[in-house]
Amino acid sequence: QKEVEQNSGPLSVPEGAIASLNCTYSDRGSQSFFWYRQYSGKSPELIMFIYSNGDKEDGRFTAQLNKASQYVSLLIRDSQPSDSATYLCAVMHGNEKLTFGTGTRLTIIP
Amino acid sequence: DAGVIQSPRHEVTEMGQEVTLRCKPISGHDYLFWYRQTMMRGLELLIYFNNNVPIDDSGMPEDRFSAKMPNASFSTLKIQPSEPRDSAVYFCASSQGNTIYFGEGSWLTVV
């Protein structure tokens, strides 16, 4: 079992709709969870992170964490074509090492 | 700040040649990471340093790979000899605390 699992997609969402990206992780001791966005040919860039169970909102983005289910999600409201990218879920072990999922490719359809 | 700086951005080399990738982390960051990204395996952590000391190199695939960090502002990842299966994007990243920032990557093609 991979440490961090994501559906590779592609996930297609109409412009203006909500895009929902999901991630599961295997290490129950994981403490911090991150979502990165990567445009084609570019480096990953941090969107947001979450430590506690529940929801965390930042603009159009909401991260959701359920440690009991070992599940993290990212919701993107009012999806825009510029949101088309690969979204990487990452899990931090201790305070140092970040393990990534293989990413979900998201396409926003105008 | 200029961010994490990597060089070269692109390299094409012949099988068997030595490849050296370079990285300058963000000033003040005490962690430095080397990742490799391929379509098949995604982003894999190769090695990371804390205060210039290698902490975990369990992701280094083979003895052909080596990494050094002689000071707080410079690190290298060396592949000798290179093989076609080493073709990938190699990212250097740095952090202070738990937010990791990536460089633009070094795109390596071994033919």
Side-chain angles (χ1 to χ4, degrees), chain B residues 7-44:
Chain B
S7 66
R9 290 295 315 278
H10 299 272
E11 175 142 352
V12 180
T13 190
E14 291 185 347
M15 182 173 63
Q17 296 298 306
E18 178 179 293
V19 174
T20 299
L21 308 177
R22 299 173 178 80
C23 176
K24 176 179 168 53
I26 294 172
S27 178
H29 283 192
D30 51 1
Y31 283 91
L32 183 139
F33 306 83
W34 282 101
Y35 283 88
R36 177 173 68 177
Q37 187 173 39
T38 61
M39 288 292 291
M40 291 298 296
R41 300 173 69 90
L43 260 175
E44 302 174 280

Side-chain angles (χ1 to χ4, degrees), chain A residues 48-96:
Chain A
M48 61 190 306
F49 56 85
I50 186 168
Y51 306 136
S52 304
N53 276 328
D55 295 359
K56 180 181 178 182
E57 188 174 316
D58 184 1
R60 295 187 297 112
F61 298 94
T62 299
Q64 300 175 317
L65 174 60
N66 184 326
K67 288 187 178 181
S69 300
Q70 295 175 241
Y71 179 89
V72 193
S73 65
L74 179 70
L75 301 178
I76 307 174
R77 289 182 302 280
D78 188 24
S79 298
Q80 303 295 310
S82 59
D83 295 326
S84 296
T86 296
Y87 288 79
L88 301 166
C89 173
V91 173
M92 183 165 279
H93 311 271
N95 201 31
E96 304 173 353

Side-chain angles (χ1 to χ4, degrees), chain B residues 7 43 54 68 74 96:
Chain B
S7 66
L43 260 175
K68 294 182 180 180
F74 184 67
Q96 182 183 45

Side-chain angles (χ1 to χ4, degrees), chain A residues 2 32 34 36 38 40-46 49 51 88 92 95-102, chain B residues 9 31 33 35 37 40-43 45 48 55-56 58 91 97-104 107:
Chain A
K2 293 182 181 177
S32 310
F34 300 77
Y36 280 77
Q38 187 175 25
S40 181
K42 300 294 186 182
S43 60
E45 55 180 336
L46 180 66
F49 56 85
Y51 306 136
L88 301 166
M92 183 165 279
N95 201 31
E96 304 173 353
K97 184 175 168 179
L98 203 58
T99 300
F100 286 83
T102 52
Chain B
R9 290 295 315 278
Y31 283 91
F33 306 83
Y35 283 88
Q37 187 173 39
M40 291 298 296
R41 300 173 69 90
L43 260 175
L45 178 64
Y48 73 97
I55 303 300
D56 184 350
S58 60
F91 287 105
N98 58 14
T99 301
I100 294 178
Y101 297 90
F102 285 81
E104 291 297 311
W107 296 69

